[in-house]
Amino acid sequence: MTAGSKGIALVTGAAQGIGRAIALRLASDGFHVAVNDISSKQSLLDDVAQVANDKGSKTLSISADVGDEGQVQGMINNVVNKLGGLDVMIANAGIATFSPMTTSSTNHFDSTFRINVRGTYLCYKYAALQMIEQNRGGRIIGASSVAGKRGFVGLGAYSATKFAIHGLTQTAALELGRHGITVNSYAPGIISTPIWKSVFNPEVPVTMQEYFKEHIKDAPVGYTGQPADVASIVSYLASKEAHFVTGQSFSVDGGMALN
């Protein structure tokens, strides 16, 4: 941990949406922040790093594919070498497409699992190894979803990945607690992000679009959330105050899935 900061955080999938909001919130909280996304989003990612830097955070912008083991290892080594360690890992990167199970392809299924599950597993694993070596504890936080607590029409592959992250998080919490590392996940509902807006692409059936509109109306709060709503939960989970919270999945969904 570098002097004058709360620690060093790495946020994957940080070029836009929830990842961007989390990175900027952690920078405001006093963390030095490394941000990651795929190379095609480098300009967006650099913008996030600049805004975080303007908040007083030491920053690092890293393009890497979280589904590639070597790239994940290299990404974490880069953070450690440039910023001085790793205290908070936010495994936020993920993809989603909307397609009924009977018309979706196995390529779609496999690619969703590669990023959402394999990517989260690799980030958890190599962040944990680094934190254990540092011997100062840490926070590992993953992106689940309301679709990781209940199924939704057209989200078979995505929902399956988010249920998997829920289980992976619980297992990691059990294994890493003795090292002072907590492991939790956040489970957003319908949040105003590029993924949510993609529901209304022309290739998505109108019946499916109407299905999700009805879910917004039926939620207790009756409106769509914002990325900052998720970032506020992550801010707490990354803090020292959350030392006694682990293995949990925190819903940020306006009441779509009641525990």
Side-chain angles (χ1 to χ4, degrees), residues 87-124:
D87 301 291
V88 177
M89 174 79 239
I90 312 294
N92 173 75
I95 60 173
T97 54
F98 299 85
S99 177
M101 182 178 64
T102 52
T103 59
S104 64
S105 68
T106 52
N107 285 339
H108 157 247
F109 186 88
D110 290 344
S111 62
T112 304
F113 263 80
R114 181 182 180 277
I115 299 302
N116 294 8
V117 181
R118 178 183 168 90
T120 299
Y121 157 74
L122 291 173
C123 288
Y124 278 23

Side-chain angles (χ1 to χ4, degrees), residues 30 97 125 136 142 144 155 158 203 206 220 232:
T97 54
K125 175 181 178 178
R136 64 189 191 214
S144 185
L155 285 177
Y158 180 79
E203 62 268 21
V206 173
S232 65

Side-chain angles (χ1 to χ4, degrees), residues 54-244:
D54 292 343
K55 294 176 179 288
S57 172
K58 290 183 181 178
T59 59
L60 182 63
S61 175
I62 311 169
S63 63
D65 174 3
V66 297
D68 184 291
E69 186 168 13
Q71 290 189 44
V72 172
Q73 288 178 280
M75 173 176 66
I76 290 177
N77 288 339
N78 199 355
V79 174
V80 173
N81 292 335
K82 298 288 180 58
L83 297 181
L86 182 63
D87 301 291
V88 177
M89 174 79 239
I90 312 294
N92 173 75
I95 60 173
T97 54
F98 299 85
S99 177
M101 182 178 64
T102 52
T103 59
S104 64
S105 68
T106 52
N107 285 339
H108 157 247
F109 186 88
D110 290 344
S111 62
T112 304
F113 263 80
R114 181 182 180 277
I115 299 302
N116 294 8
V117 181
R118 178 183 168 90
T120 299
Y121 157 74
L122 291 173
C123 288
Y124 278 23
K125 175 181 178 178
Y126 288 103
L129 289 170
Q130 176 61 34
M131 291 173 183
I132 291 168
E133 181 180 337
Q134 291 170 176
N135 194 31
R136 64 189 191 214
R139 303 279 184 266
I140 297 176
I141 304 166
S144 185
S145 169
V146 63
K149 298 189 174 186
R150 52 165 296 183
F152 285 87
V153 169
L155 285 177
Y158 180 79
S159 184
T161 66
K162 296 304 182 177
F163 269 92
I165 289 169
H166 186 65
L168 180 65
T169 297
Q170 290 188 352
T171 299
L174 292 170
E175 294 181 359
L176 298 175
R178 64 191 179 91
H179 298 288
I181 301 168
T182 63
V183 190
N184 293 286
S185 66
Y186 47 96
I190 296 176
I191 306 295
S192 182
T193 66
I195 286 180
W196 165 240
K197 293 173 184 175
S198 72
V199 175
F200 303 102
N201 289 338
E203 62 268 21
V204 177
V206 173
T207 53
M208 196 175 297
Q209 296 177 14
E210 294 301 322
Y211 170 80
F212 283 100
K213 287 179 182 178
E214 287 302 314
H215 274 288
I216 294 175
K217 293 178 184 178
D218 290 343
V221 300
Y223 56 84
T224 302
Q226 298 300 316
D229 299 325
V230 182
S232 65
I233 293 294
V234 176
S235 173
Y236 167 69
L237 293 175
S239 72
K240 290 182 179 179
E241 286 79 6
H243 65 93
F244 202 56

